[in-house]
Amino acid sequence: MSIIEKAVNKLERAVSKPDANGSVQTPKPPVARTAPVETPTLKQGAVKVQSTSAESAPSAFKNFVEIPVARLSASGMVSPDSPRSTIAEEYRSIKRPLLMNINGQTAANVKHPNLIMVASSLSGEGKTFSAINLAMSIAMEQDKSVLFIDADVSKASAGRMLGIDGHTPGLTDLLLDNSVQVKDVLVQTNISNLRILPAGNVHERATELLASENMKSLMQELAERYSDRVVVFDSPPLLLTTEASVLANLMGQILFVVAAEQTSQEAVLEGISKINSDAVVGMLLNKAKHKSISKYGYGYGYGYGYGSRVESTSPEPAS
């Protein structure tokens, strides 16, 4: 007799055996028990990052902003409403070498190439204008999602241009309070592949926050956790703040904005000297006079590759 047959006979005898009162007792089936599930806790000082990829459900976000696409387009900026405009075509050429570096299509081995900082030596050179245009252009790619971070926390002009209220919590709140998670301050937009991390509330220690270990931890997470995400930073001017150079040293690529006939050569050289030598640096010439050199009425002056010069020939407003 097999082991299974012996077990069945034993069970049948247990079921048919009467108790002292003559009743037949049917044994109750065993109750399955599971071990309690422990919820992991966030270590003090760590920054928890939630997904901002395109597949994220809208319900995961507490905040939403309707980006004024029509207003941006009317002011000469890149928008989904004008995908074939002159400015849109120019930023297609500007973003291409940056995306090539992200996809590993260049000879250089770039660390964290998906972290792109748009910088300038001084204010008023078109840095914020360029950062928003770059983010909008990359968000129009089919296989990329964009997280735009307003890291110019003292001005937060990018947020205002994108329709975000000045009191909206953001980067400074995230770095100050370890209980705040990225999903708590992330802003979903009406552009499916674009999320925004606002500057946050003004704080007297904002400069120290951008140079903190929490900021470094956040950058590490953003760079490595999601392969389809491109993070675009609007940074403070390199020569006016100390935190900008610290932030620059965390980046894989830097788009350095130079205002034509405005930024001095000395300012450019000093600004570049504050950038990590390991980063890929592309130069974008802003506010250049328009030169019609093709039948379409515009031309390009762009460079490609590692450490190349990337220039725009269209007149663009300062920010």
Side-chain angles (χ1 to χ4, degrees):
M1 182 178 295
S2 67
I3 295 176
I4 296 177
E5 290 173 335
K6 291 179 181 179
V8 171
N9 290 338
K10 183 176 180 181
L11 179 61
E12 289 176 346
R13 289 195 299 272
V15 170
S16 59
K17 183 178 180 180
D19 60 11
N21 299 323
S23 300
V24 176
Q25 301 294 324
T26 301
K28 295 181 180 180
V31 179
R33 299 181 183 275
T34 58
V37 178
E38 295 182 359
T39 303
T41 56
L42 188 65
K43 294 181 179 180
Q44 187 73 11
V47 179
K48 187 176 181 181
V49 179
Q50 300 292 327
S51 171
T52 59
S53 299
E55 68 271 12
S56 300
S59 59
F61 300 95
K62 295 183 178 181
N63 305 314
F64 178 86
V65 66
E66 186 84 18
I67 292 179
V69 173
R71 189 177 71 196
L72 294 179
S73 180
S75 64
M77 300 182 72
V78 175
S79 80
D81 289 349
S82 304
R84 308 307 302 180
S85 64
T86 300
I87 191 73
E89 292 293 347
E90 291 181 341
Y91 271 89
R92 282 190 177 94
S93 293
I94 290 172
K95 73 180 175 183
R96 196 56 53 197
L98 301 172
L99 294 178
M100 289 174 63
N101 285 328
I102 292 175
N103 295 331
Q105 297 175 340
T106 58
N109 183 18
V110 185
K111 184 179 181 180
H112 300 160
N114 58 332
L115 300 184
I116 303 175
M117 174 173 143
V118 182
S120 65
S121 296
L122 303 167
S123 60
E125 296 180 304
K127 169 182 57 64
T128 297
F129 177 87
S130 302
I132 293 176
N133 279 333
L134 180 63
M136 295 286 282
S137 184
I138 296 177
M140 295 167 68
E141 295 283 319
Q142 294 297 314
D143 59 348
K144 298 294 181 185
S145 63
V146 179
L147 174 58
F148 181 84
I149 298 182
D150 189 355
D152 194 353
V153 294
S154 62
K155 292 180 63 177
S157 55
R160 290 193 298 272
M161 294 176 69
L162 295 171
I164 296 178
D165 183 87
H167 298 290
T168 303
L171 181 60
T172 55
D173 306 273
L174 178 65
L175 297 175
L176 269 172
D177 190 347
N178 291 325
S179 67
V180 177
Q181 301 177 11
V182 172
K183 68 180 180 62
D184 297 326
V185 293
L186 204 64
V187 177
Q188 186 188 20
T189 75
N190 50 317
I191 298 175
S192 60
N193 289 345
L194 178 63
R195 305 285 183 266
I196 301 172
L197 181 57
N201 291 299
V202 178
H203 192 274
E204 60 184 4
R205 291 196 295 112
T207 55
E208 287 80 6
L209 290 174
L210 291 183
S212 67
E213 289 299 320
N214 266 8
M215 187 65 179
K216 294 179 182 178
S217 175
L218 176 61
M219 295 302 96
Q220 186 82 10
E221 288 282 351
L222 293 176
E224 299 178 356
R225 190 160 186 172
Y226 299 101
S227 60
D228 70 328
R229 177 197 285 145
V230 180
V231 187
V232 177
F233 296 79
D234 180 29
S235 78
L238 284 162
L239 300 186
L240 299 183
T241 59
T242 56
E243 70 271 18
S245 58
V246 176
L247 189 61
N249 289 331
L250 302 175
M251 301 293 123
Q253 302 193 77
I254 296 175
L255 191 62
F256 195 97
V257 179
V258 177
E261 301 180 8
Q262 175 182 330
T263 310
S264 67
Q265 183 178 1
E266 291 78 11
V268 173
L269 293 175
E270 188 177 352
I272 292 177
S273 70
K274 296 182 178 297
I275 296 175
N276 182 2
S277 59
D278 293 334
V280 173
V281 181
M283 306 297 290
L284 189 156
L285 185 63
N286 191 38
K287 303 183 186 180
K289 292 181 179 179
H290 189 86
K291 293 182 180 180
S292 184
I293 61 174
S294 74
K295 65 179 181 179
Y296 299 106
Y298 56 91
Y300 303 107
Y302 305 103
Y304 294 88
Y306 183 81
S308 65
R309 183 177 179 84
V310 183
E311 297 182 351
S312 169
T313 59
S314 67
E316 300 167 1
S319 177

